[in-house]
Amino acid sequence: IPSISVDKPSLKEINFLYDKYFFRKIVKRKFEREYFKLFTKRIYKKYQTIITEDFLLQHIYFIQDGTIELSSNKSVVETHHSIKQLTRGSSLSNSNNTEIYNSFFSNIRSKPLHMLSKLTDKASKTIVVTSSNEVLGVDSMLHKINRYLYTAKVVSNYATVYALSVDDLMFILEHEGNEVARDFERTAVMKGDLLKERFVNVNTSALGVVDRAIANENYYKGHKIDL
């Protein structure tokens, strides 16, 4: 369980959240007076988990410092479903999303049936190792996915993280108007597209392993081996 700080926030802490994310269109005194209290400061130690894949989306996490590993335990097919989920939603998303998803899905469907387990078995893999100024969970929130799409674990000695509930973030967005909402959407789209790209890279690697296995199998089928 992470330790939770109840100290009076410093100006540096307020500036971190205000300047680094999508709150800059809010009057700063108002942010400090009305909204900063909605954040909870948490100190995580090495190997502690901040969020867990497939757990219910309840908070957004803003990483002030520390190194965080994002990982997934999905199969190739399940990861493609996540890519499809990240394809839906904002009009600001990459226009090539549907084509990317469909081409990879066609690739999966073309594999021999006896290779199916390599595509459907769960396998743990690292998506990326990231650090300060990261924000976790906005990708799910934007695309109306009610669960986290990855696990985030601390791999540095510690990490300082600010948690904001989804309900409180919605409260801020609803009360601050279109400019703040658009800044949030831009951030979330960027994070979602980057996550989707990383998922595609993970699956490209996994499909490459399957293709090499098929190629080796076909090679040995065509050659008699003398013992």
Side-chain angles (χ1 to χ4, degrees):
I1 298 174
S3 60
I4 298 177
S5 172
V6 294
D7 298 336
K8 182 179 179 180
S10 67
L11 182 61
K12 180 181 177 181
E13 292 171 322
I14 294 171
N15 286 343
F16 159 71
L17 288 167
Y18 184 80
D19 293 336
K20 296 294 184 183
Y21 299 101
F22 36 82
F23 304 113
R24 283 170 289 185
K25 299 287 174 60
I26 303 171
V27 175
K28 191 168 185 178
R29 289 293 299 273
K30 183 178 182 182
F31 178 81
E32 181 178 349
R33 184 178 64 251
E34 297 184 21
Y35 297 141
F36 187 81
K37 62 186 178 184
L38 302 176
F39 294 81
T40 302
K41 181 180 178 181
R42 301 180 180 182
I43 310 296
Y44 290 83
K45 296 180 181 178
K46 192 171 187 176
Y47 303 132
Q48 285 189 313
T49 298
I50 301 172
I51 61 175
T52 302
E53 183 176 37
D54 291 332
F55 275 38
L56 189 65
L57 175 68
Q58 294 182 312
H59 291 84
I60 304 299
Y61 294 90
F62 302 84
I63 311 300
Q64 183 175 18
D65 52 47
T67 305
I68 313 297
E69 179 190 66
L70 307 187
S71 63
S72 173
N73 193 42
K74 290 184 172 70
S75 69
V76 171
V77 172
E78 289 171 327
T79 301
H80 275 288
H81 179 63
S82 294
I83 294 169
K84 185 176 182 180
Q85 287 181 302
L86 289 167
T87 297
R88 300 193 308 251
S90 171
S91 60
L92 298 179
S93 291
N94 187 330
S95 60
N96 293 323
N97 286 341
T98 301
E99 291 82 352
I100 290 171
Y101 173 76
N102 288 338
S103 65
F104 274 86
F105 192 68
S106 297
N107 194 348
I108 287 175
R109 294 176 63 183
S110 69
K111 305 304 178 189
L113 286 176
H114 69 280
M115 289 288 181
L116 188 62
S117 65
K118 295 183 182 295
L119 305 175
T120 58
D121 288 350
K122 293 181 182 297
S124 179
K125 55 265 187 185
T126 298
I127 301 169
V128 70
V129 176
T130 187
S131 58
S132 58
N133 303 333
E134 184 64 87
V135 55
L136 310 176
V138 292
D139 30 42
S140 292
M141 186 175 170
L142 177 70
H143 293 280
K144 298 181 173 58
I145 304 167
N146 66 353
R147 298 187 178 276
Y148 296 110
L149 293 171
Y150 45 80
T151 294
K153 181 181 292 186
V154 177
V155 293
S156 52
N157 289 332
Y158 70 92
T160 306
V161 179
Y162 288 85
L164 179 67
S165 75
V166 170
D167 288 343
D168 284 338
L169 178 52
M170 289 301 299
F171 172 80
I172 294 172
L173 296 178
E174 288 168 1
H175 282 76
E176 289 301 325
N178 291 335
E179 287 192 357
V180 176
R182 278 196 295 267
D183 281 354
F184 163 75
E185 184 178 23
R186 289 189 188 98
T187 299
V189 165
M190 179 184 69
K191 296 298 181 183
D193 283 349
L194 188 57
L195 178 61
K196 182 168 67 261
E197 181 181 330
R198 288 165 174 165
F199 278 149
V200 168
N201 291 340
V202 164
N203 267 9
T204 299
S205 177
L207 289 170
V209 171
V210 173
D211 286 339
R212 287 191 292 274
I214 293 170
N216 287 337
E217 186 178 85
N218 290 338
Y219 174 83
Y220 285 113
K221 280 182 179 178
H223 290 73
K224 181 178 178 181
I225 301 175
D226 296 323
L227 298 178

